[in-house]
Amino acid sequence: MTTPETRSGTGAPAELFFEDLFPGLTVDLGTVTVDGDEMLAFARRFDPQWYHVDSALAGASRHGGVIASGFYTVSLFMRAYVDHLLSRAAADASPGLEELRWLAPVRAGDRLAVRVDVMGARPSTARPGLGTVSLTGTMLRLGPDNRPEQEVMRTRFRGWFALRPTEPAAKGSPAEASRPGPSENGQPEGGTAESSRPETGPSEHGSVQTSQPAGGPAQAGRFEGVPAPRPDSDRPGTKTPH
């Protein structure tokens, strides 16, 4: 039976776990286009400051027109994060964010490339069975040539993700049969068995590379089909998610 800890953020069976989100991994979250009507409706409901809702006043100001509420922009980021990562990962709640910066105005019609970078990961001491992943999210405006023009938003936050479930060895299986039995003093024969870590590799769908070279630092990884990260000034755009 699937437990809540092994479901994705949208309730589907999870295919990505804490172990798959290692430092150096970049996840492309696609491209979003700012819908002007939605942008204004959000501002009228949640952030009705004049430069978000009044086209006449905003047009006569230094803003040169209506600009999006920053909270609308971060909402676009959140939707892309859910659609492209949390919908697949065994995500739990988030303990919070450390930074949220709005670096440039966002306007109706802007095309924003979205991504997250894994900065750190460690098992949680407060929540057994979960790991804490530190992430940086960015949104970059794309120009007519589909190349990044300017970073418009950056955020640093943490998320909890379930550790990959371990399957107990079935009785009578090769692992069970090869397990040393107790000696007369109650200790396993042959001394204490060395702890072993199963070799990791691509998931069944080949979507995430999690293996790391022995004896070396974790290598930057990516989802299959996503270009390796480039400097922001040289990062091409991505296909708009549906």
Side-chain angles (χ1 to χ4, degrees), residues 70-81:
F71 289 100
Y72 173 71
T73 304
V74 77
S75 295
L76 293 178
F77 170 83
M78 188 67 204
R79 181 58 191 256
Y81 180 47

Side-chain angles (χ1 to χ4, degrees), residues 105-190:
V106 171
R107 306 176 190 274
D110 280 353
R111 296 176 61 248
L112 307 176
V114 192
R115 75 167 188 255
V116 292
D117 296 281
V118 179
M119 311 306 292
R122 58 179 176 79
S124 174
T125 55
R127 300 285 301 274
L130 299 178
T132 301
V133 179
S134 299
L135 304 123
T136 294
T138 56
M139 302 183 81
L140 299 100
R141 181 186 295 111
L142 301 178
D145 59 356
N146 216 35
R147 295 171 68 86
E149 285 186 339
Q150 189 175 19
E151 186 177 11
V152 300
M153 194 211 76
R154 184 187 311 131
T155 181
R156 291 187 298 108
F157 61 101
R158 290 174 292 155
W160 281 321
F161 295 86
L163 277 61
R164 178 173 285 105
T166 56
E167 295 293 338
K171 192 168 184 178
S173 67
E176 180 74 17
S178 62
R179 186 177 300 163
S183 63
E184 291 183 1
N185 60 7
Q187 298 297 322
E189 294 180 359

